[in-house]
Amino acid sequence: MFAIVDYDTGNTRNLKKALDYLGIENILTSDPEKITAAQAVILPGVGAFEAAMEALRQRNLVSVVQKVAKDKTPILGICLGMQLLFDDSEEYGLHQGLGLIPGHIKAIPKQAGLKVPQMGWNQNQLRQKDSFFESIDQQFTYFVHSYYAECEERFLVASVDYGIEIPSIVQNDNIIGMQFHPEKSGRVGLELLKNFQKMVKTNDFTCN
Amino acid sequence: MLAKRIIPCLDVDDGRVKKGINFVHLTDVGDPVEIAAQYQKQDADELVFLDITETNQKRKTMIDMVEQVSQQVFMPLTIGGGVSSVDDIKQLLKAGADKVAINSAAVSDPDLITAGAEKFGNQCIVVAIDVKYDPETDKYFVYTHGGHQKTDLEAISWAKTVVEKGAGELLVTSMDADGTKKGFNIDLYQKLDQAVDVPIIASGGAGDLADFSEVFLKAKVDGALAASVFHYGELTIKDVKKHLKQKVVTVR
């Protein structure tokens, strides 16, 4: 059973619909016991960083997610959920994240001709071989975000070019983050969710 | 770099796609779920559904439709037509929409744009603008209520206003070009591109492949929307993307 962390953030239901469509057993829950018992934990998220952290704190879920991470349960953060996995974010002041992947969340610089938020389909470059997610190479996925992760190259699985290099998939052992929305990225996105399921089944995080 | 988006638009009347769609493999020509799934297969980048149902009581039907489409189709969905309150926006997003397009209500109640953007983020608030050229003043004017009512709003300054109010994207239809199949209104989109810095979707006038490359190359829009050329199989999305690739336009 996969647990989708329910903390009143936007559009978690579309993610649930994608998992249902793929036949991946899942529950939408904020119950610490169910999250702790889950085979894998998915942390969705839309909105502002600190509001999301506060929503997790109110439900006493920060330590729960950190604990399952430590117990090597695979965790998949999506969009803002991926950003929460990092140390901190500069969105509306400096705010602390979950600290599961070393790195910082920064604003996408507004360069000539580039609109912020980055909203639309961008093409991924694989940055790490032998990953469960290598099918993403050269494929387009759907992004909606104004901030991006700055992290060491060893955590980078794939990235897109948006004036700067923006990490699209990151991984630190059992902790995975996807900046784009796999649940909105057509068959490529669905395949990535299936690959995550495969990774969970094999319990193999050896990509880095 | 971001791919330019090719977006089929579907008119929905009481939960059914109006006029039907002329795809070979459809068993039910009016079923929104089946049609959306076909467009996903064709690699459409996004779908726009416009509710043209005349009575407000049927809004629930649209919400059910969004719920059903989003269980089968995993791509960005924009829903418009008769959206007039924060609650309308909320219900559509909750049902599975990614973006909501506000048209007439943006004119009658511009604060709705701000209220929606503050509550749900400007990335999901699209303002749809129907415009018509006025030769006397050499300006474009905004029309509402499905193009039936002329307003005093000059389109380019209205576009700036709605972006200031929080619109995250503009879906701009040239009523002059719409239905002609003679190409998009390049002049209009060039002016809009200079006026605002949010994504612009061009709509109205798509007839052949060259129309798509022209609007992307000359007007720098982010997406191009079309209805009949796709629905009746005159062009496939694949054809359009192949053509755009040849013209060195980035597509998915």
Side-chain angles (χ1 to χ4, degrees), chain B residues 71-84:
Chain B
Q71 283 169 8
Q72 301 288 326
V73 172
F74 301 96
M75 62 194 285
L77 304 173
T78 301
I79 313 295
V83 175
S84 59

Side-chain angles (χ1 to χ4, degrees), chain B residues 37-67:
Chain B
Q38 284 285 343
Y39 274 126
Q40 175 169 258
K41 244 187 209 165
Q42 289 191 23
D43 274 344
D45 298 306
E46 190 170 325
L47 290 177
V48 171
F49 288 93
L50 289 182
D51 191 358
I52 56 167
T53 313
E54 282 181 6
T55 51
N56 278 332
Q57 296 92 307
K58 289 180 182 167
R59 176 144 297 279
K60 175 88 175 53
T61 317
M62 193 62 171
I63 289 162
D64 289 345
M65 188 215 78
V66 176
E67 183 71 53

Side-chain angles (χ1 to χ4, degrees), chain B residues 172-192:
Chain B
V172 185
T173 303
S174 162
M175 291 168 58
D176 303 295
D178 203 19
T180 65
K181 297 195 178 175
K182 286 183 176 166
F184 293 95
N185 186 336
I186 303 300
D187 175 65
L188 170 65
Y189 300 112
Q190 283 174 337
K191 288 189 167 117
L192 285 165

Side-chain angles (χ1 to χ4, degrees), chain B residues 123-235:
Chain B
Q123 81 287 344
C124 63
I125 305 297
V126 178
V127 172
I129 310 178
D130 296 336
V131 312
K132 204 168 177 175
Y133 180 67
D134 176 42
E136 267 181 43
T137 54
D138 188 29
K139 281 178 179 157
Y140 295 98
F141 283 93
V142 176
Y143 283 66
T144 59
H145 298 85
H148 292 300
Q149 276 182 32
K150 185 176 190 281
T151 71
D152 296 332
L153 298 165
E154 188 274 311
I156 309 300
S157 63
W158 174 241
K160 284 187 197 166
T161 304
V162 300
V163 170
E164 277 164 24
K165 291 262 176 201
E169 183 163 286
L170 303 182
L171 165 55
V172 185
T173 303
S174 162
M175 291 168 58
D176 303 295
D178 203 19
T180 65
K181 297 195 178 175
K182 286 183 176 166
F184 293 95
N185 186 336
I186 303 300
D187 175 65
L188 170 65
Y189 300 112
Q190 283 174 337
K191 288 189 167 117
L192 285 165
D193 176 55
Q194 283 173 8
V196 298
D197 60 1
V198 299
I200 296 166
I201 310 302
S203 156
D208 60 24
L209 295 175
D211 295 338
F212 286 92
S213 47
E214 188 188 28
V215 75
F216 287 123
L217 292 169
K218 289 190 182 164
K220 290 198 281 178
V221 296
D222 299 84
L225 178 141
S228 57
V229 287
F230 293 138
H231 299 337
Y232 302 123
E234 293 162 32
L235 296 177

Side-chain angles (χ1 to χ4, degrees), chain A residues 156-175:
Chain A
L156 210 52
V157 176
S159 65
V160 294
D161 173 13
Y162 197 64
I164 53 168
E165 181 179 40
I166 289 184
S168 52
I169 299 185
V170 291
Q171 180 172 2
N172 180 19
D173 200 24
N174 57 321
I175 314 294

